Amino acid sequence: MKKLINSVETVLTESLQGFAAAHADIVALDGECRFIRRARPAPGKVALISGGGSGHEPLHAGFVGRGMLDAACPGQIFTSPTPDQMAAAEAAVDGGAGLLLIVKNYEGDVMNFEMAAEMIGGPVMTVLTDDDVAVEASSYSTGRRGVAGTLLVEKIVGAAAEEGRDLAALKALGDRVNRRTRSMGVALTSCTVPAAGRPTFAIGADEIEMGVGIHGEPGRRRVALAPADAIVAELVDAILRDLGDVAGQDVLLFVNGFGGTPAAELYLVYHAAARLLAQHGIRIARSLVGSYVTSLDMAGCSITVSRLDDELVRLWDAPVHTAALRWGA
């Protein structure tokens, strides 16, 4: 294993300290390294909090800031943060209008966020993201996994929270975005968790994992490496079959890298996916390409398609200022 680390025990703390120092105008790190919060709190609005295991950067800490999250709780690599961490974050950013938790559908995350909500009390609601079409509810203990579509929920709901919408309205909006969003990924290589010191799974030099999870979980099937067009066609077909009839509608197309894939390849994937959507009569109204929901050093990518309407386009376009996403005034 070759990693730019000092020790397995300190990698997360040192990374968080570096992140907070590099973006001190946007975020602040809790003194006990339990959470990242906005450097300038936003009282009076519903506070948005997310989190999960580290190793997916910039998700979630990279999306803390104006127009998105108020706080993010990073657990150890691929391990849910503890309820104590989450409760501390909730107490730190509660501006009096309630708390909305945005939680990826993984058993540890769901359980610990529920426990944290009970600990702090007060008005708290949860949006559960489960956009991964690679697995059905019957084949995964808690149902579908929450993956790259989580970013879309955090951005759109974050914009609405900035406008002052109440807790119930934000919960309804987050659920709506999640229902309109589907994702699927492919891995060319495994990731390597520092504490393990070896690849999470073995894969041949000429093999790929279709439908891989963001922690290296198995996908739909192991197949031989094929040209990018064929790989993208399988991902897009699975997404569209699950999303339903979207011909003639506007969508957001998000091509996400898993951490070990060059931008040139991600844009090639976008090009292939855009052609396929056009063949189905689907209009791409908004796009995002880059490594935003990663899996450490895994080579591969995911494709996300989300059905848009005028309100969702406006909220997507609303100003955002975080370490990882910045646009608008």
Side-chain angles (χ1 to χ4, degrees):
M1 179 182 73
K2 294 181 180 179
K3 298 281 187 183
L4 292 172
I5 64 175
N6 293 310
S7 73
V8 170
E9 292 74 23
T10 63
V11 60
L12 178 57
T13 297
E14 291 176 313
S15 177
L16 289 171
Q17 290 170 337
F19 173 80
H23 302 289
D25 59 322
I26 303 173
V27 301
L29 176 63
D30 168 62
E32 298 177 43
C33 295
R34 295 172 297 179
F35 58 86
I36 293 283
R37 62 167 177 81
R38 291 194 191 193
R40 289 176 292 278
K45 65 179 283 295
V46 174
L48 270 57
I49 302 171
S50 193
S54 296
H56 305 304
E57 292 77 15
L59 186 84
H60 295 275
F63 304 137
V64 173
R66 184 168 62 88
M68 286 191 78
L69 300 175
D70 292 272
C73 299
Q76 293 296 318
I77 303 294
F78 294 174
T79 303
S80 174
T82 66
D84 287 347
Q85 276 181 267
M86 299 173 191
E90 292 166 3
V93 300
D94 188 351
L99 302 165
L100 183 67
L101 311 181
I102 300 175
V103 183
K104 301 188 302 301
N105 192 32
Y106 290 93
E107 187 173 3
D109 289 356
V110 172
M111 178 179 66
N112 287 350
F113 268 101
E114 286 178 351
M115 291 175 63
E118 293 173 1
M119 290 167 62
I120 196 168
V124 182
M125 291 186 176
T126 298
V127 172
L128 194 66
T129 63
D130 59 356
D131 52 302
D132 189 1
V133 304
V135 291
E136 298 296 337
S138 60
S139 61
Y140 195 66
S141 60
T142 57
R144 290 184 168 181
R145 304 174 294 215
V147 289
T150 307
L151 182 157
L152 277 60
V153 173
E154 292 178 355
K155 170 62 185 79
I156 290 171
V157 177
E162 216 70 46
E163 293 178 349
R165 296 196 197 182
D166 65 27
L167 181 58
L170 294 175
K171 154 74 173 167
L173 175 64
D175 288 341
R176 181 159 70 97
V177 175
N178 179 64
R179 288 194 302 270
R180 299 167 73 97
T181 303
R182 300 290 189 276
S183 303
M184 187 165 161
V186 59
L188 281 63
T189 69
S190 175
C191 53
T192 299
V193 177
R198 61 183 183 277
T200 300
F201 59 90
I203 188 168
D206 60 348
E207 293 180 319
I208 59 176
E209 184 77 20
M210 295 297 299
V212 70
I214 57 174
H215 305 99
E217 308 99 315
R220 288 188 171 188
R221 60 196 183 102
R222 182 75 56 86
V223 299
L225 178 64
D229 282 352
I231 295 171
V232 172
E234 181 165 344
L235 297 177
V236 170
D237 180 66
I239 289 168
L240 295 184
R241 279 190 284 108
D242 201 275
L243 196 56
D245 184 11
V246 289
Q249 297 186 36
D250 290 341
V251 302
L252 186 153
L253 174 58
F254 173 25
V255 174
N256 171 67
F258 284 150
T261 305
E265 294 179 28
L266 297 180
Y267 281 108
L268 186 154
V269 167
Y270 178 90
H271 179 58
R275 293 200 315 271
L276 290 171
L277 294 182
Q279 291 170 13
H280 285 84
I282 300 167
R283 298 185 297 267
I284 300 173
R286 294 295 183 271
S287 303
L288 185 66
V289 179
S291 295
Y292 292 101
V293 183
T294 64
S295 183
L296 292 170
D297 53 348
M298 183 188 289
C301 71
S302 63
I303 295 174
T304 299
V305 178
S306 184
R307 291 187 290 118
L308 297 174
D309 56 29
D310 290 344
E311 178 191 31
L312 299 182
V313 168
R314 183 183 65 78
L315 291 169
W316 178 260
D317 289 345
V320 60
H321 189 80
T322 69
L325 284 184
R326 300 186 193 187
W327 60 68

